[in-house]
Amino acid sequence: MFKLLAVLALVGACVAHRFKGGHYRQTKDKDDYAYKSSSWEEAHEYDECPEFDDSYEEDAEGSGDTAKNGMHHFMSRHHPKLIEDTCINVDAGPVCPNFSREESGHCGFETVTIPKGWWMVADIDMADEMGVRNAYKEKIYYGYRTPNKIRFMIPVIVKWHLEDGNRVKGELAMYVPPEHQEAPPASTTEKVKIEEWPETKVYVRPYGGYRDDEAFRKQFEHLRTALNDAKVSFDKSIEMEAGYTYLRYGRQRIEAMVIAN
């Protein structure tokens, strides 16, 4: 399982979302990636706001290519993978930190609390077309996880700092596993920082698809609109993407996320 997680780390939730062409074929033959359907209601912890033009029909046929495990690629938008099917426990320990989730009491978003804890953080080179991927692979994976034998955790969070609505700075972060939370190994490279994040409340919209989908970017607009309509205060200078799933293997889950004030 550790080997599987290491592979997932290389091409998983945080990286290479642009590489989703139909010529890719799934070859995993693992029960972990078994096809599981879900309704819109099951995949979202809130009611959709009726004024949002965000309806879609799930294309169960995906790209038409079928993997050994009988799954499709789900190249088009689909219902996001259920969080309980994503944050599983393995022999090495939990895969996700203990985020608490609750209904918001308003349409269009769900409320999540990220517990206080240590994170490994790397800057994203904004001039690099592959900046997100390289922040993970070259910095987090080779610079910190590999030398310290740190296992993979999800979600991988991409934090964007905004000025006048434009993304001007990016950071990629991964939670330090529970077994290392009391004393995280020190980083030996300036490219990776070990930061203690306070308990943080965020508002989210989950999405079934890929980071570079136009419809995913639209989720931030819907999220801000729903929060404003609910008169909920949030930090307008930061937006975050939380990636939970292994790219191209079945249902995807990526969340549009903003921080509560």
Side-chain angles (χ1 to χ4, degrees):
M1 178 59 73
F2 184 84
K3 182 178 180 181
L4 170 62
L5 293 177
V7 173
L8 183 146
L10 284 173
V11 291
C14 71
V15 296
H17 274 246
R18 67 187 72 248
F19 302 117
K20 60 185 181 112
H23 59 286
Y24 282 97
R25 285 181 169 78
Q26 299 175 21
T27 56
K28 289 285 182 185
D29 190 15
K30 301 289 185 181
D31 291 339
D32 308 61
Y33 300 107
Y35 174 86
K36 292 183 180 180
S37 62
S38 64
S39 67
W40 195 98
E41 290 75 15
E42 290 172 323
H44 300 76
E45 296 295 326
Y46 55 85
D47 294 327
E48 185 61 295
C49 298
E51 67 270 26
F52 291 169
D53 181 18
D54 196 41
S55 61
Y56 62 95
E57 292 186 8
E58 193 172 74
D59 179 8
E61 292 304 314
S63 68
D65 295 329
T66 304
K68 289 182 179 180
N69 57 9
M71 288 167 35
H72 294 286
H73 287 294
F74 280 103
M75 304 304 297
S76 59
R77 187 176 177 185
H78 50 274
H79 300 152
K81 188 173 183 177
L82 301 180
I83 197 70
E84 56 264 35
D85 293 335
T86 304
C87 292
I88 58 175
N89 285 313
V90 296
D91 292 341
V95 176
C96 297
N98 187 26
F99 288 12
S100 65
R101 294 175 177 266
E102 58 187 89
E103 294 185 7
S104 62
H106 193 277
C107 67
F109 64 93
E110 118 184 57
T111 302
V112 176
T113 300
I114 301 174
K116 177 182 177 180
W118 292 96
W119 293 71
M120 51 193 110
V121 182
D123 288 339
I124 296 169
D125 183 351
M126 301 296 286
D128 182 1
E129 183 181 4
M130 303 291 289
V132 173
R133 181 179 188 273
N134 289 333
Y136 174 73
K137 186 175 181 180
E138 302 299 331
K139 298 176 182 179
I140 295 291
Y141 181 72
Y142 286 119
Y144 186 76
R145 285 192 55 229
T146 297
N148 292 297
K149 298 181 180 179
I150 301 292
R151 64 187 175 91
F152 187 76
M153 296 285 288
I154 53 176
V156 174
I157 290 181
V158 178
K159 180 188 288 187
W160 299 109
H161 299 260
L162 310 178
E163 287 185 6
D164 299 324
N166 298 313
R167 294 175 172 180
V168 296
K169 179 183 177 182
E171 298 170 294
L172 186 141
M174 181 183 290
Y175 189 75
V176 174
E179 60 269 24
H180 297 289
Q181 275 290 317
E182 289 190 8
S187 175
T188 58
T189 172
E190 61 182 14
K191 295 180 179 180
V192 180
K193 299 166 288 185
I194 306 303
E195 297 180 350
E196 186 176 33
W197 290 6
E199 180 178 280
T200 303
K201 181 185 289 186
V202 296
Y203 305 113
V204 309
R205 284 178 63 89
Y207 178 80
Y210 299 87
R211 176 171 287 109
D212 57 355
D213 290 351
E214 183 177 346
F216 175 63
R217 294 287 296 133
K218 190 76 172 177
Q219 302 312 303
F220 286 101
E221 296 180 29
H222 290 325
L223 181 54
R224 288 188 284 265
T225 298
L227 291 168
N228 287 329
D229 289 349
K231 295 180 172 55
V232 173
S233 180
F234 62 97
D235 188 341
K236 296 177 175 61
S237 68
I238 292 174
E239 58 187 25
M240 301 195 296
E241 303 167 358
Y244 281 87
T245 41
Y246 186 14
L247 181 66
R248 293 191 300 276
Y249 288 90
R251 292 186 179 274
Q252 301 290 301
R253 185 184 183 94
I254 183 171
E255 295 178 342
M257 183 181 286
V258 296
I259 300 173
N261 279 333

